[in-house]
């Protein structure tokens, strides 16, 4: 993944790493998963549309929260969350 396609706030990345153990530079590789799932964040009612990417990364399933800004993916959250894993497995018909 080229950094030119992605951006994030450095301070928010550090907070995310401390809280969820995953950096935004690592999280961008979830988008490279050919079986990734992109879903709109229907619970967000702000000015811009927000989305989730559920993708395989290093043997686990990550959830990346992001938005599009001027054709750039801006990451603002990422982690190994159970709900994202369930969605990924359901949509890809993976039975555990």
């Amino acid at each position: 993944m080229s950094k030119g396609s992605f951006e994030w706030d450095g301070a928010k990345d550090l907070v995310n790493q401390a809280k969820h153990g995953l950096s935004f530079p690592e999280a961008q590789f979830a988008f490279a998963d050919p079986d990734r799932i992109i879903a709109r964040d229907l619970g967000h009612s702000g000015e811009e549309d927000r989305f989730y990417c559920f993708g395989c990364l290093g043997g686990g399933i990550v959830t990346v929260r992001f938005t599009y800004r001027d054709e750039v993916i801006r990451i603002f959250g990422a982690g190994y969350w159970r709900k994202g894993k369930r969605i990924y497995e359901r949509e890809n018909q993976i039975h555990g």
Side-chain angles (χ1 to χ4, degrees):
M1 301 263 100
S2 69
K3 175 65 172 83
S5 303
F6 294 87
E7 67 180 20
W8 48 79
D9 178 279
K12 190 170 269 199
D13 177 37
L14 292 174
V15 170
N16 194 83
Q17 288 180 54
K19 188 173 182 181
H20 300 294
L22 182 64
S23 74
F24 294 166
E26 293 173 295
Q28 70 180 326
F29 288 97
F31 290 84
D33 177 358
D35 296 321
R36 73 188 174 277
I37 306 297
I38 303 293
R40 185 177 302 274
D41 180 353
L42 299 176
H44 179 73
S45 60
E47 294 178 11
E48 66 185 2
D49 290 333
R50 292 194 174 179
F51 302 88
Y52 296 103
C53 173
F54 308 108
C56 188
L57 180 65
I61 307 302
V62 298
T63 300
V64 182
R65 297 180 65 217
F66 70 98
T67 191
Y68 294 103
R69 290 191 185 157
D70 299 320
E71 299 182 25
V72 174
I73 295 171
R74 182 162 180 88
I75 297 173
F76 54 85
Y80 293 92
W81 298 319
R82 287 185 300 264
K83 185 175 181 181
K85 182 176 189 257
R86 285 194 307 269
I87 292 168
Y88 182 91
E89 290 174 343
R90 181 187 69 224
E91 294 299 315
N92 284 297
Q93 300 179 358
I94 298 170
H95 305 286

